[in-house]
Amino acid sequence: MNPKKLLIIELHVNNHPGVMSHITGLFSRRGYNMEGILCGAIGEGETSLIYLLIAEDEKLEQIILQLSKLYDVLNVKLRPDYDHKVFFDIDKLLTQQPG
Amino acid sequence: MEMTGAEIIVRLLEQKGIKTVAGIPGAANLHLYNALKSSNIRHILARHEQGAGFMAQGMARTTGKAGVCFSTSGPGATNLLTALADAKLDSIPIVAITGQVASAAIGTDAFQEIDTYGLTIPITKHNFLVRTVEELLTVIPEAFHIAESGRPGPVVIDIPKDIQQQTCKFEQWPEFKKISNESSVSENQAAEIAAMINSAQQPVILAGGGVNNEDSAGFLLRLAEFNNIPVTYTMRALGAFPPDHRLSLGMIGMHGTRYANALIEEADLVIALGARFDDRATGISKNFCTKPKIIHIDIDASEINKIKKATYSLTARAEEVLKKILPLIVSDGREQWLKEIDRVKKSMPYVSAPEDSDLFHPFNIISEVVHNVPNDTIISTDVGQHQMWVVQAWPFRKPRTFISSSGLGTMGFGVPAAIGAALANPDKKVVCFSGDGSILMNIQELVTMAENNLNITVLVFNNHSLGLVKQHQELFFKKNFMATQFEAKPDFCALAKAFGIGGIDLTEAPEPAKTLIEALAFEGPVLVNIPIDSSEIVLPMVKPGAPNKDMIF
Ligand SMILES: Cc1ncc(C[n+]2csc(CCOP(=O)(O)OP(=O)(O)O)c2C)c(N)n1
């Protein structure tokens, strides 16, 4: 396994259909890597939380600054304290409804 | 109040103070045009949406305020893309209002449906797809605020046609947020920056597009003179510092001055103001400013440390910082450093026309134009050798007098941008320098020039080639000229006349200088074809991939 250190970025974003393209588009056009993504609406559904799993590298500072510039991104937090196991246990996340 | 979406859009544009809009109608923005008919806003009918986009840019670049353009959905929107991308790279505030197919048809591959929202994400500062008519009341003021605040940029508002048509009841008009002038610079930060400048031995200021406005330029001149700091600038800052000033090092970078490129490496401190270390300015960035400490001031936090690691950085507008540090700067003669500057400058003479050259040498033509137009003339250029010669030889002394596609380098910019500049500055003369390649990329807008009888002189530097590309083939591809020499040569004067503007050819003119002066004195649209020796190349030049200080000259 690659020993690179993984980090979670927490984004608080406006919840509308274009937001995800703004974020993933930023990663692809600037050549940043994203290892995982998790997203869900919060509260009344006006906003969402997005968790991005990224490898810590020299681009991290830029990634944070570029994300902060996005109009629909209300807040960016680095979450080194979060366990990122969930990204590797996706199959366990979705369990079948009983019967 | 009760109004249709289209009426709301038009009333809000009026409230914002928009006087002129450039665009082309089509199925998806017919309601908007219907509402525009009863407005005092002047509509300029472009002949290609890219033209409309560059007209909006011409207005924005010369005034600092957002320019507005309209297009229909599908092909109208795709035609606009180049002008949007161009505005993004040069941080130009424009608001593009694009029609979209009806909400219910979105996603069905309807006639003239294109994902304008998706297409414009990477080339705008922000974009909106309006989903309800009520949203217009927040989205439109917000779009202008985004375009004009912080680091300016283009904003797209995509509006489905049913939303333009629907009516909406509302109590009151929204406010257009004022752009905050509050200073974010603390006393401490100002003191730290001033201390670094005061204690530097060999400082150089690197000015970028962020200082190309009246306020910043005034402060910049005072800082430079008071502390005797030499100033170099990027293409986006042309006009922010007088090129003939004793402290001017001229432009930096690929076609900059040899001494600017050499001296910045001798500096012990580089003060980068509103500059983003673009590769045309820095060359290979790891070889750029290897020795000096860098103070980097930019309104966009993500520009700091993006290309060059800064010793000290601050996210703020250049004028704020300059204003705050000026009282803390000590007067300094810097005799030693200025002597060195002088020595290097003398050893690397600046470009000029050879002694025995005729009127048709590019520098002689430019100098003839300089001497025969008013001081406040606005210059637009296309992209190529002609652009670089203007950059090298025109004495730009005022911000916003030079408009040119810098970041994207878009051929076809010159003519429509000149139109936008003329529309926004009706009492000024506009001169557009173009090439026989570039002009054909938006030649259709000559008819827009005719229709509005604008005071624009278009000068076509005609070298029968895609000169700047041919120059690269000459210097770096062993003269293996491929696809850069034109075989068919259009008659540009006949073309100009066909479009309804004046056409003058200097090729056969018995007294070309006199003819040129007469053309410049004419207060209306005219095109002048100027034969240029196709073997002329732009020097000095940094070979792509080489360090800036090793210039070919
Ligand atoms: C839209 C576009 N296509 C291609 C280029 C590449 N390019 C850069 S300069 C140039 C030649 C421009 O020729 P011309 O306008 O005649 O100017 P000259 O260099 O001859 O003065 C070309 C093709 C470009 N900058 N923009």
Side-chain angles (χ1 to χ4, degrees), chain B residues 23 42-47 419 423 444-454 499-501 525:
Chain B
R42 178 175 180 194
H43 180 263
I44 302 298
L45 177 60
R47 299 308 202 262
I419 292 175
L423 290 165
Q444 76 288 347
E445 302 307 339
L446 292 183
V447 75
T448 314
M449 223 181 249
E451 200 159 82
N452 296 283
N453 193 30
L454 299 169
F499 281 119
I501 72 168

Side-chain angles (χ1 to χ4, degrees), chain B residues 22 131 283:
Chain B
R131 288 161 201 282

Side-chain angles (χ1 to χ4, degrees), chain B residues 64-87:
Chain B
K65 304 213 180 71
V68 179
C69 56
F70 288 172
S71 85
T72 189
S73 64
T78 54
N79 274 351
L80 209 57
L81 296 181
T82 302
L84 291 170
D86 191 278

Side-chain angles (χ1 to χ4, degrees), chain B residues 383-386 409-411 435-438 441 463 465-469:
Chain B
V383 172
Q385 292 177 314
H386 62 277
T410 314
M411 293 167 72
D436 55 327
S438 294
M441 293 217 182
N463 53 8
S465 55
L466 295 168
L468 196 58
V469 181

